[in-house]
Amino acid sequence: MSQPVSGDQRRAPVMADVALHAGVSLGTVSNVLNNPSAVKPAKRERVLASIRELGFVRNQQARSLASGRADTIGFVVVDLANSFFVDIARGAEEYTAQHGYKILLANSDVDSARQSTYLELFEEFRVAGMMLAPLDGPLESVEVVRGRGTPVVQVNWPGSDGETCGVEVDEVHGGRLAAEHLIARGARRLLFAGGPFDLHAVAQRLEGARAAVRAHAGVELEVVETTRITVAAGDQLGEQLGGRAATQRPDGLIAASDALATGAIQRLRSHGVRVPEDMLVIGYDNNHLTADSIVPISTISQPGREMGQRAAALLLEEIAGDPEHVHRSVLLRPALIQRQSTAVPEP
């Protein structure tokens, strides 16, 4: 008969060790872990005490293989430093928890190699399905994973050709909302800043801003491509604009992200440019830092939590083999949030 695992042994304790230590059957240990109400309280506590004493941790991967059903979903997010993606993850977690699933969250940190590595890792762990908020660019790794039978739903990215589901935001509409808001408050020399322009979200936001300007006679739009949409890039933008003569500056700045807007405002203030008195500024994403900025920033808010919930719902449909499930892309609308950086009366 096997003996309990002692503290100096290398092998991790297994369920049989817990059963022996607690003086119960293997089935009782299984019930304590999976159906605790079926075990009398005194015996249940004895098993739990043995679990604590031995340091037993269940092997979730082995359990999934034995049951033929995983209850874990992998979620790879492009940038957890951006609270927009945190909101997406929270929405997904809320929905999946209601349906008995757990989420393993990974941050690719804007690195395509890390993104592929995490997809492979989740596949090795035999998760029930995956969600991916991807980098811009080809998604061959998703095609490989799906080709081997694991469902994948894309978030902040459309589905592909009836083969995958996706949930995204109407970025063109968001860019138009931002420009129209500044025009309505009297701005006539607008500047759109963001980049690089091969980022689809930035390009679509610019498209929307251009559409708004075309619809208003007498309004001009200057475009500045930045290397990134970070606070540091915004600082460089603010330095550039602050160094211009007052008559050469825009009176309205559309920043392709809130981080970009934050950096620009900080640098503009060091040049004596007042926001919103001298320049109206609007950002994008409703990043949590915007409300606490030195000048609270107006922004275009993306429905991150709803995106996560909708993506999770699509994924669980596919996992369950719902016969009515159709691969599709869901397009959600952003909304304007006005704060101090555009707080001037309409003319």
Side-chain angles (χ1 to χ4, degrees):
M1 181 180 293
S2 63
Q3 297 299 314
V5 177
S6 63
D8 60 353
Q9 287 180 275
R10 291 178 180 273
R11 179 175 69 83
V14 296
M15 285 177 58
D17 300 317
V18 175
L20 184 61
H21 189 275
V24 299
S25 70
L26 195 59
T28 298
V29 177
S30 178
N31 277 334
V32 168
L33 293 171
N34 302 304
N35 187 23
S37 61
V39 184
K40 292 182 179 180
K43 186 176 290 187
R44 183 169 68 238
E45 182 52 43
R46 193 161 77 244
V47 172
L48 291 173
S50 293
I51 287 173
R52 290 191 294 269
E53 187 173 338
L54 295 176
F56 168 78
V57 177
R58 74 165 73 195
N59 186 331
Q60 184 64 32
Q61 184 176 10
R63 179 173 176 242
S64 297
L65 288 170
S67 66
R69 178 187 181 276
D71 61 359
T72 303
I73 289 168
F75 192 1
V76 185
V77 175
V78 65
D79 182 14
L80 280 176
N82 187 333
S83 65
F84 166 57
F85 293 105
V86 175
D87 288 343
I88 291 175
R90 283 176 173 158
E93 184 179 33
E94 288 169 0
Y95 189 91
T96 54
Q98 293 170 3
H99 293 80
Y101 286 84
K102 307 177 190 70
I103 284 186
L104 294 176
L105 186 63
N107 179 28
S108 71
D109 202 24
V110 201
D111 185 317
S112 58
R114 288 181 65 175
Q115 177 176 286
S116 297
T117 297
Y118 281 127
L119 291 173
E120 293 170 4
L121 179 65
F122 286 149
E123 189 178 19
E124 290 174 8
F125 272 82
R126 297 179 185 262
V127 295
M130 302 184 207
M131 287 183 286
L132 172 65
L135 287 76
D136 279 31
L139 296 177
E140 287 93 346
S141 55
V142 173
E143 295 173 8
V144 170
V145 169
R146 286 189 56 82
R148 290 196 285 249
T150 303
V152 182
V153 170
Q154 288 139 208
V155 193
N156 203 39
W157 195 265
S160 55
D161 300 327
E163 295 180 359
T164 59
C165 289
V167 178
E168 58 178 334
V169 172
D170 189 340
E171 305 281 16
V172 175
H173 178 69
R176 184 161 192 154
L177 272 181
E180 288 180 341
H181 177 64
L182 299 190
I183 293 168
R185 270 141 190 80
R188 292 296 178 267
R189 301 187 312 279
L190 302 186
L191 185 146
F192 179 97
F197 288 154
D198 57 3
L199 292 176
H200 85 284
V202 173
Q204 290 181 340
R205 292 167 192 178
L206 174 56
E207 181 184 340
R210 281 175 165 154
V213 169
R214 285 195 300 268
H216 292 81
V219 178
E220 302 172 354
L221 180 66
E222 179 184 355
V223 177
V224 172
E225 183 173 13
T226 58
T227 55
R228 301 188 69 184
I229 51 175
T230 60
V231 172
D235 182 86
Q236 295 172 0
L237 173 68
E239 180 65 28
Q240 175 191 339
L241 297 181
R244 294 184 185 182
T247 56
Q248 299 302 311
R249 292 186 199 122
D251 56 8
L253 170 61
I254 304 165
S257 77
D258 291 328
L260 193 68
T262 299
I265 288 174
Q266 291 171 350
R267 181 57 60 185
L268 285 167
R269 285 171 59 90
S270 73
H271 283 276
V273 180
R274 300 170 301 165
V275 176
E277 294 85 352
D278 301 323
M279 187 185 301
L280 305 176
V281 178
I282 188 166
Y284 206 106
D285 285 340
N286 195 27
N287 196 300
H288 296 178
L289 61 84
T290 56
D292 299 325
S293 171
I294 190 167
V295 178
I297 302 171
S298 297
T299 187
I300 302 300
S301 174
Q302 303 191 81
R305 188 162 292 193
E306 183 183 358
M307 292 175 73
Q309 292 169 342
R310 297 288 290 273
L314 290 170
L315 182 60
L316 295 192
E317 275 184 19
E318 191 169 352
I319 290 171
D322 186 338
E324 297 185 2
H325 177 79
V326 176
H327 292 314
R328 60 197 183 274
S329 291
V330 176
L331 188 65
L332 303 178
R333 281 290 185 98
L336 169 71
I337 296 179
Q338 182 179 338
R339 298 193 178 102
Q340 186 179 337
S341 68
T342 61
V344 296
E346 292 188 33

